[in-house]
Amino acid sequence: MNHDQYEAAYLSEILRDTKTIALVGASPNPARPSYGVMRFLLSKGYRVIPVNPGQAGKEILGQTTYATLADIPEPIDMVDVFRASEYLHEVVDDALALDPRPKAIWSQLSVRDDLAAKEAEAAGIKVVMNRCPAIEMPRLGL
C-alpha cells in the first residue's frame, strides 16, 4: 500500500469499525499530544486503553494504564502509536503477537516505518502512518 496518501474511505472504515483503541505512549501530562488525542477519542465514544510502562497501574483520564499491549485483558481493534519511528517495528511485533490481533495499527504524525507496515499488512492488519485520528475524524466528518 502507498502510505504517502490514504483514500478517505480507507480511513473512515478503520475509524468506524474501531471500538477499542490501545494508545501506546500515553502520557498523563495534559501538555502532551497523546493526552489530547486520548481525551478526544474518549469524547467520541471509543474505549481507549493507555499503554505506558512507566505509568502501569495508574490512571490516565480515568482509564487504567498497562505496561504492554500483551497486558491488556481484552481484545483491541486498533493500536494508536505515540512512539518515535524507531520504535514502531517493536509495537507492530507486539501487536502481531496478540490473539486476537488488532484490525489496525495507526501511527501518529511523523511516525513511519514502511518495513513494519509491510509486515503488519502481510498479517492482515490495516496500517495508517503519519496521521492523527483527532485531525482525520473532523476532516472526514466522523
Side-chain angles (χ1 to χ4, degrees):
M1 165 170 260
N2 176 3
H3 290 285
D4 294 323
Q5 58 187 14
Y6 298 98
E7 296 290 329
Y10 179 78
L11 298 176
S12 295
E13 181 181 339
I14 291 170
L15 293 166
R16 283 192 185 112
D17 289 349
T18 295
K19 305 295 181 232
T20 303
I21 300 169
L23 199 143
V24 176
S27 173
N29 181 347
R32 302 289 301 186
S34 64
Y35 186 94
V37 170
M38 182 173 167
R39 184 178 57 224
F40 174 84
L41 293 170
L42 287 166
S43 78
K44 293 297 185 181
Y46 292 101
R47 166 114 166 85
V48 184
I49 303 167
V51 178
N52 180 329
Q55 298 295 316
K58 299 175 185 176
E59 287 191 358
I60 299 175
L61 291 165
Q63 310 302 307
T64 301
T65 306
Y66 294 90
T68 68
L69 290 176
D71 293 335
I72 298 173
E74 62 188 271
I76 53 175
D77 299 315
M78 183 172 91
V79 178
D80 190 2
V81 184
F82 278 90
R83 299 283 321 270
S85 294
E86 61 262 28
Y87 300 107
L88 184 55
H89 206 256
E90 178 183 326
V91 174
V92 167
D93 287 344
D94 291 347
L96 290 174
L98 297 175
D99 185 20
R101 290 178 175 154
K103 298 176 193 126
I105 296 174
W106 188 300
S107 70
Q108 286 295 320
L109 298 175
S110 81
V111 179
R112 183 170 176 155
D113 180 332
D114 289 310
L115 179 59
K118 187 175 180 180
E119 289 180 18
E121 290 167 338
I125 298 173
K126 293 179 179 178
V127 176
V128 176
M129 295 186 292
N130 190 30
R131 295 284 189 280
C132 178
I135 294 170
E136 296 301 322
M137 289 179 71
R139 185 181 72 79
L140 297 165
L142 301 175

